[in-house]
């Protein structure tokens, strides 16, 4: 009998699931018939199909054309060349004076004498995770309502509000997921969670083209999508920014504030008070439609690189919405059948409750923002911070670039000086005054924190930028060290010192030296790497210096000079001509200069491989260093002839047993295998590298209730912290680093014992390694003097492992070279 009832329910469900229209989502009021509905443009009702990004763009452009309440701009393109749209929605009268309104809004943050009697600014953004699509689909109906509603309430809202409307934070991911959900949709919708529709294939639609989680890039700003939205943010400084997400299907609906104890201490208490007041509007709106929800649990406001937290250090209120996801068109859950239209309706409801709160709290929000920046200006010290690397101008430039994107004032260095034993060189360093408007943001970027109220983190607990970029840093520096303020930041220039008939030397210190070397090797030129320090013509050269001889090459002297001049310029890497091979130290003809082979690199991808880690490596090769990287899918790896590759990277994964012998043979024949994270355990268990693991000792747990047990285990996680290691700069893995210590990011609890022979520990954590972030007392006892890197011979080849990601989120410039060294010099380790 139960089966019959359930069958009848499914029949009714499949018959009715597609019959929603705008009346399901929107208030029953009068609409302007001149404004096209979504169905009239994209061909289906909201929620009937998953909207593809091209249709979303089509509709937003149609709205802007039809409505005098909307203007539209294209702020850039994604990696897949999709437009990054922004709609500005407000009353027609406000549109006539929009720039004046914007200017007055910004002026009020710079001067308390400027009146805050201005429209409140709300930035509404949707679906930064592409497979959390209810947000972008809701954007169709929300935008229509704001353009078409003729109610006096809507007109009043638009008179008092400027809405910055971003219908898709992640166009590439949204398109990928919409395709998946639509091609797997049945006419008779099957809500069984085991159906293919609800189980998308690798790498899934959460991320952008290079598999980055873009909701972690608001602070680092490394991706084109982020650059567009951060430019908009700082142009307007919105009072509220909303970030519409989805979560597990068995959940209901979440809105902030999250867990109070996990709020970043740099965030003012008033921010949380206002967030809580705004939450009452969400609760009321969701109560009116009978939707379940929760707040003040699960999520936090600690990492400023998330969309819901970034505004909190910029005078605004960031709000996270999380909707239980249907993951397709409808799915069985603990709460019954969860339909796609239902998830969209909740997002629409929260979007409207946000606007209602903004309008009602307008004066409070504007006053809070003005007070925030007044206090920021008044609490900034008359000192400065300085950062730089006297041998790596490009890496230093990229950190300065992040600051400029956040409209932080930076200055050139007036002249060279030394602080804390580090040399800061003009042209290789920047000064940041702390008596400026955005000094709180600067503090957040360079924050060092090792004690916390809470031991659980939704994301990383540390992101200290000087450590991430691997630059020298000093604070409380006199403003007298500052030179001219930099209005337009420019990449350092480089070239070849002079044309040589003997050879050229390229120091390995610069960030883009791997890009230059790859171009040289792909050209078919011979190059060698120095295994020792030396001097030539009175100039000192470090381990890893590249020597390109002129004689016995495939091109003439003139061609080589012209080619190297282009390469030096394109890679911002200086190349020096030499007139003699006679050095102070090893001579240029020494066997301590080892020949370098052009690498042919492959990487494992597909099911079982960490998508973020592999995407970051792909991005590093493709976008930063212009190097080919062949991605081999686990589905067909066993059918591939891997003999043609010199290196294979396995990011946080393992392979089935059938592939083990294949890899062993390849390494024995001279291949270099590079494994990350849990690949180390897999390689060790398959006897390809000998590793000894340190284990955390945990005493019996006392005084912890059943309710608190998950908190106890969660506290043992290293969600993302920064640790200091000693490095042996003579080891090839460390070529190009000028300091004897290195800051490393880690988010694992894998600890490797050091080798008894010190020369086999080229990177080793110090006795007190924590630089910034959270680590439990138990793990803190284990990590000192362990090693994050191991390399061993295996036949004629090498197996190298890293316990953690050296390319984290594209902004860990400081450790990118560790992987590049393993690629170019792995056979010399």
């Amino acid at each position: 009998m139960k089966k019959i009832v359930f069958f009848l329910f499914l029949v009714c469900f499949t018959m009715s699931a597609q019959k929603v229209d705008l009346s399901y989502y929107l208030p029953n009021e009068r609409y302007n018939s001149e404004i096209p509905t979504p169905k009239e443009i994209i061909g289906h009702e909201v929620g009937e199909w998953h909207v593809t990004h091209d249709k979303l763009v089509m509709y937003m452009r149609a709205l802007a054309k039809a409505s005098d309440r909307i203007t539209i701009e294209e702020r850039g393109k994604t990696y897949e060349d999709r437009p990054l749209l922004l709609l500005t929605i407000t009353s027609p009268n406000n549109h006539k004076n929009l720039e004046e309104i914007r200017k007055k809004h910004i002026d009020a943050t710079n001067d308390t004498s400027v009146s805050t009697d201005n429209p409140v600014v709300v930035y509404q953004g949707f679906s930064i995770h592409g497979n959390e699509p209810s947000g972008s689909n809701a954007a169709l109906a929300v935008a229509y309502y704001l353009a078409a509603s003729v109610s006096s309430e809507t007109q009043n809202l638009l008179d008092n509000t400027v809405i910055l409307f971003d219908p898709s934070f992640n166009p590439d991911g949204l398109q990928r997921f919409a395709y998946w959900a639509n091609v797997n949709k049945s006419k008779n919708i099957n809500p069984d969670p085991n159906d293919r529709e609800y189980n998308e294939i690798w790498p899934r639609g959460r991320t952008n083209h290079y598999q980055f989680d873009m909701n972690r890039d608001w602070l680092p700003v490394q991706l084109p999508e982020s650059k567009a939205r951060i430019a908009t943010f700082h142009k307007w400084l919105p009072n509220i920014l909303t970030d519409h997400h989805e979560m597990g299907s068995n959940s209901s609906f979440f809105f902030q504030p999250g867990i109070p104890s996990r709020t970043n201490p740099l965030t003012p208490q008033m921010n949380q008070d206002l967030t809580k007041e705004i939450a009452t509007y969400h609760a009321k709106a969701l109560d009116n439609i009978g939707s379940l929800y929760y707040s003040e649990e699960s999520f936090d406001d600690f990492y400023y690189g998330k969309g819901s937290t970034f505004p909190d250090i910029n005078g605004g209120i960031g709000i996270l919405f999380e909707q239980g996801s249907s993951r397709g068109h409808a799915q069985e859950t603990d709460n019954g059948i969860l339909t796609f239209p239902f998830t969209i309706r909740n997002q629409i409801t929260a979007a409207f409750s946000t606007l209602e709160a903004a309008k009602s709290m307008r004066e409070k929000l504007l006053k809070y923002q003005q007070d925030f920046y007044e206090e920021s200006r008044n609490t900034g010290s008359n000192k400065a911070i300085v950062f730089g690397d006297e041998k790596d101008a490009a890496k230093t430039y990229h950190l300065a670039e992040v600051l400029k994107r956040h409209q932080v004032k930076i200055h050139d260095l007036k002249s060279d000086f030394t602080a804390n034993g580090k040399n800061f060189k003009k042209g290789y360093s920047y000064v940041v005054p702390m008596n400026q408007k955005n000094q709180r943001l600067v503090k957040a970027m360079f924050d060092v924190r090792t004690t916390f109220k809470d031991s659980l983190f939704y994301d990383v607990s540390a992101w200290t930028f000087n450590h991430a970029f691997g630059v020298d840093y000093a604070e409380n520096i006199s403003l007298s060290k500052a030179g001219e303020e930099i209005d337009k930041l420019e990449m350092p220039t480089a070239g070849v010192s002079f044309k040589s008939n003997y050879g050229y030397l390229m120091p390995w210190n610069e960030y883009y030296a791997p890009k230059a070397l790859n171009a040289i090797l792909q050209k078919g030129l011979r190059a060698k790497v120095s295994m020792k320090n030396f001097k030539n013509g009175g100039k000192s050269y470090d381990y890893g210096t590249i020597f390109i001889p002129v004689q016995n090459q495939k091109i003439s002297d003139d061609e080589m000079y012209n080619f190297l001049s282009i390469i030096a310029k394109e890679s911002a890497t200086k190349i020096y001509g030499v007139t003699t091979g006679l050095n102070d130290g090893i001579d240029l003809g020494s066997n301590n200069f080892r020949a370098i082979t052009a690498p042919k690199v492959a990487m494992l991808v597909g099911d079982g491989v960490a998508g973020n880690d592999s995407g970051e490596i792909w991005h590093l090769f493709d976008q930063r260093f212009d190097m080919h990287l062949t991605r081999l899918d686990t589905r067909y790896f066993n059918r591939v002839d891997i003999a043609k590759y010199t290196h294979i990277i396995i990011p946080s994964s393992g392979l089935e047993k059938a592939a083990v012998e294949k890899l062993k043979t390849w390494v024995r024949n001279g291949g270099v295998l590079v494994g990350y994270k849990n690949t180390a355990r897999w390689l060790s268990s398959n006897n390809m590298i000998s590793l000894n693991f340190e284990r955390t000792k945990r005493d019996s747990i006392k005084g912890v209730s059943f309710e608190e047990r998950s908190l106890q285990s969660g506290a043992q996680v290293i969600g993302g912290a920064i640790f200091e290691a000693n490095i042996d700069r003579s080891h090839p893995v460390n070529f190009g680093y000028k300091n004897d210590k290195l800051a490393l990011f880690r988010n694992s609890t894998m600890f490797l014992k050091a080798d008894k022979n010190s020369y086999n520990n080229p990177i080793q954590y110090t006795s007190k390694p924590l630089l910034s972030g959270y680590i439990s007392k138990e793990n803190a006892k284990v990590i000192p003097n362990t090693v994050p890197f191991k390399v061993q011979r295996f036949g004629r080849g090498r197996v190298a492992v890293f316990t953690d990601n050296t390319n984290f989120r594209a902004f860990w410039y400081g450790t990118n070279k560790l992987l590049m060294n393993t690629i170019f010099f792995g056979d010399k380790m």
Side-chain angles (χ1 to χ4, degrees):
M1 181 67 184
K2 286 183 178 179
K3 290 183 178 179
I4 295 173
V5 171
F6 184 67
F7 172 76
L8 291 174
F9 170 76
L10 286 181
V11 170
C12 294
F13 164 73
T14 55
M15 290 175 62
S16 62
Q18 302 305 302
K19 292 186 178 179
V20 297
D21 57 26
L22 286 177
S23 65
Y24 176 70
Y25 303 112
L26 302 180
N28 182 20
E29 57 184 66
R30 193 163 61 87
Y31 294 92
N32 182 350
S33 60
E34 298 297 315
I35 303 299
T37 66
K39 184 177 181 179
E40 289 171 338
I41 301 300
I42 66 175
H44 61 81
E45 291 286 3
V46 174
E48 183 180 355
W49 294 89
H50 283 251
V51 71
T52 55
H53 187 259
D54 54 327
K55 285 187 174 182
L56 186 65
V57 169
M58 187 190 311
Y59 183 63
M60 295 303 161
R61 285 180 170 155
L63 270 186
K65 184 177 181 180
S67 173
D68 58 0
R69 298 175 178 179
I70 297 177
T71 56
I72 194 168
E73 60 182 295
E74 184 176 314
R75 300 169 294 168
K77 295 288 184 68
T78 69
Y79 284 120
E80 294 178 14
D81 219 25
R82 292 190 173 87
L84 296 165
L85 297 184
L86 181 77
L87 281 67
T88 302
I89 307 176
T90 189
S91 67
N93 283 336
N94 284 344
H95 268 297
K96 293 175 184 177
N97 304 294
L98 194 60
E99 181 55 24
E100 183 180 336
I101 291 172
R102 187 195 70 80
K103 186 177 182 301
K104 184 179 178 184
H105 180 78
I106 297 299
D107 287 347
T109 67
N110 295 320
D111 185 349
T112 54
S113 68
V114 176
S115 169
T116 55
D117 184 19
N118 212 39
V120 67
V121 180
V122 181
Y123 192 141
Q124 294 188 295
F126 302 90
S127 299
I128 202 164
H129 297 143
N131 61 359
E132 299 177 5
S134 57
S136 284
N137 283 267
L140 292 165
V142 174
Y144 168 74
Y145 177 85
L146 294 172
S149 170
V150 295
S151 72
S152 59
E153 289 84 359
T154 301
Q155 292 174 15
N156 180 257
L157 169 70
L158 295 175
D159 283 337
N160 288 281
T161 312
V162 173
I163 303 163
L164 307 173
F165 196 84
D166 197 329
S168 174
F169 273 146
N170 181 3
D172 295 347
L174 182 72
Q175 187 79 9
R176 193 183 316 135
F177 180 74
Y179 164 80
W180 176 264
N182 289 337
V183 299
N184 286 289
K185 176 187 177 184
S186 301
K187 181 186 74 171
N188 298 296
I189 294 175
N190 182 359
D192 186 341
N194 295 320
D195 190 76
R196 192 168 190 260
E197 179 179 351
Y198 311 108
N199 297 276
E200 44 178 330
I201 58 172
W202 194 94
R204 304 173 184 85
R206 177 182 177 88
T207 56
N208 77 341
H209 176 78
Y210 284 101
Q211 298 155 222
F212 282 91
D213 183 336
M214 292 192 304
N215 194 38
R216 305 300 186 266
D217 195 41
W218 289 76
L219 201 59
V221 204
Q222 296 299 305
L223 308 169
E225 300 92 339
S226 308
K227 293 172 186 177
R229 66 175 182 264
I230 289 301
T232 297
F233 184 96
H234 287 297
K235 179 180 178 180
W236 275 97
L237 291 180
N239 301 98
I240 296 177
L241 184 145
T242 55
D243 193 10
H244 291 254
H245 287 251
E246 291 183 359
M247 53 184 167
S249 300
N250 291 320
S251 300
S252 58
F253 190 88
F254 169 84
F255 51 82
Q256 284 180 309
I259 299 175
S261 63
R262 299 181 196 167
T263 300
N264 195 299
L266 295 175
T267 299
Q269 180 58 43
M270 181 56 74
N271 173 286
Q272 292 297 290
D273 295 343
L274 290 170
T275 304
K276 198 162 186 175
E277 184 175 349
I278 293 169
T280 64
Y281 289 82
H282 307 319
K284 180 180 179 181
L286 291 166
D287 286 343
N288 286 340
I289 62 171
S291 285
L292 299 176
Y293 55 84
Y294 67 99
S295 185
E296 296 194 76
E297 55 180 298
S298 297
F299 299 94
D300 65 46
D301 264 336
F302 190 81
Y303 172 49
Y304 287 120
K306 297 184 299 180
S308 59
T309 312
F310 177 76
D312 298 344
I313 199 66
N314 288 281
I317 309 295
I319 299 177
L320 170 69
F321 296 123
E322 292 274 358
Q323 164 63 48
S325 179
S326 65
R327 284 288 181 261
H329 291 84
Q331 189 175 165
E332 298 167 10
T333 75
D334 291 346
N335 297 312
I337 301 290
L338 178 63
T339 70
F340 187 40
F342 178 83
T343 69
I344 293 171
R345 185 175 65 159
N346 279 345
Q347 299 279 23
I348 292 169
T349 301
F352 289 156
S353 62
T354 299
L355 295 175
E356 178 62 25
K359 183 190 71 173
S360 301
M361 297 170 60
R362 180 180 65 85
E363 292 181 4
K364 284 185 183 180
L365 293 166
L366 291 169
K367 184 67 166 61
Y368 166 71
Q369 185 181 61
Q370 190 172 54
D371 291 345
F372 177 95
Y373 281 111
E374 181 187 19
E375 184 179 349
S376 184
R377 291 191 303 273
N378 291 338
T379 56
S381 70
N382 286 317
K383 295 288 186 178
I385 64 172
V386 60
F387 62 86
D389 185 324
E390 62 177 325
K391 294 187 177 182
D392 190 346
K395 182 178 65 178
T396 307
Y397 160 84
H398 283 302
L399 176 49
E401 189 179 38
V402 174
L403 291 166
K404 289 295 287 183
R405 286 184 185 132
H406 287 301
Q407 294 193 359
V408 171
K409 293 180 180 179
I410 63 174
H411 291 246
D412 192 10
L413 198 62
K414 185 178 291 183
S415 59
D416 300 356
F417 77 100
T418 300
N420 301 334
K422 302 298 182 184
N423 297 323
F424 294 95
K425 184 178 175 182
K426 184 176 171 62
Y428 289 74
S429 302
Y430 299 92
V431 178
V432 184
M434 295 304 288
N435 58 352
Q436 61 173 296
K437 175 181 178 178
N438 286 328
Q439 58 91 7
R440 278 176 160 170
L441 178 59
V442 175
K443 283 182 180 178
M445 294 175 73
F446 293 93
D447 188 42
V448 173
R449 196 170 298 276
T450 57
T451 58
F452 302 85
K453 286 184 179 180
D454 205 314
S455 57
L456 298 184
F457 299 89
Y458 187 67
D459 201 77
V460 297
S461 61
W463 51 87
T464 315
F465 273 61
N466 52 297
H467 294 321
F469 280 78
V471 295
D472 295 328
Y473 172 84
E475 53 190 20
N476 294 320
I477 299 299
S478 169
L479 289 174
S480 64
K481 302 293 185 185
E484 294 294 320
E485 182 179 347
I486 297 173
D487 181 44
K488 184 179 180 182
L489 190 67
E490 295 183 352
M491 174 70 97
T493 57
V496 179
S497 61
F498 62 84
K499 179 178 176 297
S500 172
N501 294 321
Y502 192 89
Y504 298 90
L505 292 171
M506 182 176 73
W508 194 245
N509 307 97
E510 281 286 356
Y511 181 80
Y512 288 108
K515 177 180 178 178
L517 177 58
N518 182 66
I520 289 166
L521 295 175
Q522 296 303 323
K523 183 75 171 177
L525 299 177
R526 291 185 301 107
K528 296 184 175 185
V529 60
S530 168
M531 304 299 289
K532 292 188 176 183
N533 294 335
F534 64 94
K535 286 184 178 180
N536 181 287
K539 179 176 174 57
S540 296
Y541 292 91
D542 291 344
Y543 302 105
T545 297
I546 306 301
F547 173 48
I548 308 106
V550 170
Q551 301 304 315
N552 200 23
Q553 297 278 17
K554 294 180 178 179
I555 59 178
S556 69
D557 300 5
D558 289 338
E559 288 175 309
M560 178 177 285
Y561 172 71
N562 292 333
F563 172 72
L564 292 179
S565 295
I566 294 170
I567 294 304
K569 182 178 179 181
E570 290 179 347
S571 61
T573 302
K574 293 180 180 178
I575 299 176
Y576 299 90
V578 297
T579 58
T580 178
L582 185 63
N583 293 336
D584 181 0
I586 59 169
D587 296 327
L588 295 184
S590 168
N591 288 334
N592 281 297
F593 279 91
R594 306 278 181 83
I596 309 169
T597 303
K600 191 168 182 61
V601 188
M603 178 176 67
L604 202 68
V605 299
D607 287 342
V609 177
N612 292 135
D613 293 353
S614 61
E616 288 156 3
I617 293 170
W618 178 24
H619 177 270
L620 184 72
F621 275 76
D622 197 34
Q623 288 290 328
R624 296 269 171 83
F625 297 130
D626 289 339
M627 295 174 63
H628 287 151
L629 178 67
T630 300
R631 290 167 295 146
L632 304 175
D633 199 289
T634 53
R635 292 179 298 109
Y636 58 75
F637 178 79
N638 285 335
R639 302 195 302 271
V640 175
D641 178 8
I642 60 175
K644 65 198 277 190
Y645 303 108
T646 60
H647 297 71
I648 294 177
I649 303 170
I650 306 181
S652 191
S653 177
L655 282 167
E656 57 188 43
K657 284 286 184 182
V660 174
E661 288 306 316
K662 181 176 184 176
L663 276 174
K664 284 183 175 179
T665 300
W666 174 80
V667 178
R668 285 192 188 103
N669 290 334
V672 177
L673 183 60
V674 185
Y676 276 93
K677 299 173 78 169
N678 61 18
T679 304
R681 294 191 186 278
W682 181 81
L683 291 170
S684 178
S685 66
N686 283 285
N687 301 313
M688 295 186 71
I689 189 170
S690 177
L691 301 174
N692 293 312
F693 297 92
E694 288 276 15
R695 301 190 184 279
T696 303
K697 296 179 182 178
R698 293 180 61 186
D699 298 329
S700 58
I701 301 172
K702 298 177 181 179
V704 176
S705 68
F706 181 79
E707 179 186 13
E708 295 170 330
R709 73 198 187 284
S710 62
L711 303 180
Q712 180 69 23
S713 59
Q716 301 306 315
V717 173
I718 301 177
I722 305 170
F723 299 88
E724 181 181 63
N726 291 315
I727 64 173
D728 173 2
R729 292 191 296 116
S730 73
H731 193 285
V733 75
N734 296 317
F735 283 178
Y737 289 100
K738 72 177 185 64
N739 295 331
D740 294 327
K741 294 186 185 298
L742 185 66
L744 294 144
F745 172 85
R746 90 175 272 136
N747 60 354
S748 77
T749 54
M750 180 187 299
F751 305 112
L752 300 180
K753 291 182 179 180
D755 192 88
K756 62 182 180 179
N757 298 315
S758 61
Y759 52 78
N760 287 330
N761 304 315
I763 309 174
Q764 185 171 14
Y765 289 120
T766 61
S767 58
K768 294 182 179 180
L770 181 63
L771 290 174
S772 187
Y774 170 80
I775 185 172
S776 69
K777 290 184 292 185
E778 294 85 350
N779 287 328
K781 292 177 182 178
V782 177
I783 191 173
N785 303 310
T786 59
V787 295
F789 170 80
K790 280 274 191 178
V791 60
Q792 292 173 10
R793 288 177 177 268
F794 192 87
R796 292 192 292 113
R798 304 289 190 280
V799 177
V801 296
F802 292 94
T803 60
D804 289 273
N805 185 353
T806 59
N807 316 293
F808 186 64
R809 293 180 182 168
F811 80 106
W812 267 84
Y813 280 75
T815 51
N816 288 161
K817 195 162 283 181
L818 296 176
L819 175 56
M820 288 296 108
N821 287 345
T822 309
I823 297 301
F824 287 106
F825 316 130
D827 59 345
K828 297 160 183 59
M829 296 179 182

